[in-house]
Amino acid sequence: MFDALSPELAPDLRRRLARIQPGIKSLDVDAIVLCTPVNLLYTSGKIFSGCAWIPHKGEPHFFVRRPQGLTGTNVHAIRNIEEVPAVLAKAGLAVGRWALEGEELTWSFWPRLSRLSEAPAVNGSGLLRRARSIKTAYEISLMRDAGLRHAKIIATYPRHFKPGMTDQQFALECEASMRRAGSLGLFRIHGNTMEIFMGSVLAGDNAAAASPYDFALGGAGLDDSMPVGQNNTKLLPGMTVLVDIAANFNGYLTDCSRTFSIGPASKEVKRAHQWAIDIQAAVVAAAKPGVSCESLYQLALDTAAQGGYADTFMGLGQKAKFIGHGTGLYINEWPVLGARSAAFLEPGNVIAIEPKIILPGVGAVGVEDTFAVTETGLENLTPCDPQIVELQ
């Protein structure tokens, strides 16, 4: 392990290692080699250029190209990845057969790493995604702290509104308040099929604009190079504004959305928004360890239909096929509360639950909160008022 780890982090890395190593053995390999920033952070407590070599039993080794000067037990300075087998041999360790991060490595880097092991490599990405989906008590404490800070910042959003603003101008003020409060601003997404900055601010009919990305709602975006989120819609009386900006204070992302109205909200807006709150409450009440994630999605659909919102729930023509998702070091961790999900909730999962309804000509309403799955149910990590707040 690296030197100078905090007293809380060092033993927690041991707990994460104990979760990963049985999975390595189940893949019929001798070790897993990790190179991507999130998995290096998860297993070592640091991001560096190089790799982590984690055997199915025994101690991990860390091979660092940059930054220079990192020290610790089993920490080795290297110039290139091809030096790893020789360093292992010098330590009296067999190279063996490796698992690699097949979902995240480039086409050129996979064979380069695979050639260093003693047999063809196998894909181990699922092993790490599975491990990260079950947070330790320490990880949940980090997310609990982040969620409380997140909730406090959301309460400050209304003071940033000025009549005549566009959605982009309002977004800039909300994002700045998050950054001033200490958020790192980094929005990590697993895979390369989605991109966004810190989140989105969706006003009026832009909330229904279809996006190529698999977010709960889309938005046309400001440019074809990032077709999601706010699009310079002017904020006018009668519109709703849904602010969905993630927080990242310590590497772990909390997800929380709240709805605002420009001027007083109509009865129609209030009714739809209350149904969104009720949908979230129904899912939370049913969510316990052992419950099927697909069943929670179906519960959300059924509850939306009871309110008369089947056609406008989670989008119009193009609908999101989920009601919630895991979050953590990535915004889109496992499990997914969606159609055809084979997952069941487990203690230690952290999930964002985000029922949202589109009102044509008005905008979106809805809520989103981040919850930790406990032995008995869900703990809300982003506790703030779910009601619509008037902007004036």
Side-chain angles (χ1 to χ4, degrees), residues 190-240:
H190 176 82
N192 60 0
T193 59
M194 294 188 289
E195 296 176 309
I196 200 169
F197 184 51
M198 290 172 62
S200 62
V201 173
L202 299 175
D205 282 333
N206 184 48
S211 168
Y213 302 145
D214 194 19
F215 294 118
L217 297 178
L222 294 165
D223 188 85
D224 286 343
S225 65
M226 194 171 78
V228 65
Q230 55 270 14
N231 69 337
N232 274 326
T233 292
K234 189 171 183 179
L235 304 184
L236 300 173
M239 283 183 178
T240 62

Side-chain angles (χ1 to χ4, degrees), residues 21-22 24-25 29-32 54-58:
Q21 286 185 314
I24 297 172
K25 191 171 181 62
V29 295
D30 301 292
I32 188 166
I54 301 176
H56 70 84
K57 63 178 180 179

